[in-house]
Amino acid sequence: MDIEQEYDESGEDPPATHAATLVIFRRDPTGGPPQILMVERSAAMKFAGGAAVFPGGRVDDADRALAEALGASDEEAVHELAARIAAVRETLEETGLVVGIRQRPTLDEARRARDILLGEGTLGPTLAAMNWQLDLDALVPFARWRPKHRHMRIYDTRFYLADLGTGAVDLLVDATENTRLFWTSAAEALDHADAGRISVIFPTRRNLERLAQFGSFDDAVAHVQEYPSRMITPFISDEGGAKWLRIPEDAGYPVTGEVLDSAARG
C-alpha cells in the first residue's frame, strides 16, 4: 500500500472514534523538571501496541450519558464533557489515580473506587458509591488530534492536563491493556525513545516535545492560554524530494514534523 494513501486529504473525513487522554503532572521529588505519567501498552493491542502513551482511551456511551445528566445539551458540549469524564474513568481504571474529583481520597478509597469501577464498568455508579463529585474544570484542554489516514483506526483524541502535586501515590497497572506505568520528565521520555528503550507514536512524540518546554504545571497552563487547544490534523509535505509528516506551525509545538518513513503512526 502506498503510504501516502494513509493520509489522503481528498473527499470527506473518514469516521473517527472519540477518545481522551490525560497528561498528569507531578513535582519531581528530587527537584528536577516536572514528571508526567506514561503507560506502556501491551504489544497485543491493535492500536499503538507496545508504545508508551499517556493514560486514556475511548469515550463510551455511559460517558456521554453522564455528560448529558450533568447538563450538557448541544452535541459539542456533550463530546467535550464526555471526553473529560472518559479521561477521569480511564485514568482510574488504568493507573489507580483519582483525578478530576472534588474530594481528596485516601489510597484505600482510591483502590476501592477502582474495584467498583472495574466491576461496574462505568463511572457514574462509582461516584455514587464513593459519594464523590466531579471537578472536571481541573482538567485543562491541551490539544485535540484527529488524523485523516484511511487505512488505520482513527481516533479524535482530546488531550488534557492535570496536576497531581507531590505525586506521593501508588500506581496500579491494568494488565489487560498495559504492561507498566512510569513517571518521567518529557525530556527523559524523548531520550528513552531516541535510545530505543521505549516506542512512541507520532502524536506522543510531538506532545512530549511540547511538554518538555515547561518547568512546571503552571508554565503549561500559561502556554495553553497563549496556544488554546485546537484540532491538529497531520498532513504530508513534499520537501526536497522527501515526504514529511507535518502539523501546523502555529499550534504551540516546537517540532512540527518528521520524515514520513520514520514516523510511527500507531
Side-chain angles (χ1 to χ4, degrees), residues 76-254:
E76 179 55 30
V78 170
H79 284 318
E80 173 63 28
L81 202 59
R84 297 187 191 215
I85 291 167
V88 171
R89 173 181 56 76
E90 288 279 353
T91 298
L92 177 57
E93 180 178 311
E94 290 185 343
T95 73
L97 294 184
V98 178
V99 294
I101 303 295
R102 296 193 184 281
Q103 290 73 17
R104 297 185 66 84
T106 65
L107 176 59
D108 285 343
E109 289 171 335
R111 286 178 168 172
R112 180 185 169 212
R114 184 173 186 257
D115 288 342
I116 295 170
L117 176 59
L118 292 174
E120 295 285 347
T122 61
L123 189 60
T126 306
L127 297 173
M130 301 300 299
N131 196 27
W132 286 349
Q133 291 79 45
L134 288 168
D135 180 16
L136 297 179
D137 289 339
L139 276 59
V140 179
F142 184 61
R144 183 177 176 185
W145 282 65
R146 188 192 190 285
K148 290 184 69 173
H149 49 66
R150 300 178 181 277
H151 300 282
M152 301 169 65
R153 183 178 299 175
I154 295 176
Y155 289 97
D156 180 345
T157 304
R158 300 176 197 237
F159 289 72
Y160 299 96
L161 308 178
D163 187 19
L164 200 61
T166 61
V169 293
D170 288 343
L171 298 173
L172 303 168
V173 68
D174 171 15
T176 62
E177 294 187 2
N178 308 307
T179 58
R180 70 181 177 117
L181 308 170
F182 59 98
W183 291 101
T184 178
S185 73
E188 287 173 338
L190 290 167
D191 288 343
H192 289 321
D194 290 342
R197 291 187 289 270
I198 62 173
S199 171
V200 294
I201 59 176
F202 182 82
T204 305
R205 178 176 284 275
R206 301 288 82 83
N207 279 294
L208 285 170
E209 291 158 349
R210 187 178 177 189
L211 292 163
Q213 301 175 105
F214 310 136
S216 67
F217 179 76
D218 289 342
D219 287 347
V221 172
H223 175 86
V224 169
Q225 292 173 347
E226 183 177 359
Y227 297 97
S229 175
R230 56 177 285 190
M231 183 77 79
I232 304 295
T233 299
F235 59 92
I236 290 177
S237 174
D238 191 342
E239 303 174 26
K243 302 293 183 182
W244 281 67
L245 188 58
R246 289 283 185 189
I247 60 173
E249 298 277 352
D250 58 351
Y253 289 84

Side-chain angles (χ1 to χ4, degrees), residues 61-75 77-78 81-82 85:
D61 290 341
D63 299 326
R64 286 183 281 270
L66 183 53
E68 292 172 351
L70 292 173
S73 54
D74 64 89
E75 184 177 1
V78 170
L81 202 59
I85 291 167

Side-chain angles (χ1 to χ4, degrees), residues 11-82:
E12 297 181 358
D13 289 353
T17 299
H18 287 273
T21 194
L22 193 57
V23 181
I24 304 170
F25 281 67
R26 77 167 186 179
R27 290 189 286 276
D28 182 354
T30 67
Q35 295 181 326
I36 55 178
L37 181 62
M38 301 201 73
V39 177
E40 192 166 74
R41 290 172 62 82
S42 167
M45 299 298 292
K46 290 184 178 180
F47 178 77
V53 298
F54 310 113
R58 68 177 63 201
V59 177
D60 63 25
D61 290 341
D63 299 326
R64 286 183 281 270
L66 183 53
E68 292 172 351
L70 292 173
S73 54
D74 64 89
E75 184 177 1
E76 179 55 30
V78 170
H79 284 318
E80 173 63 28
L81 202 59

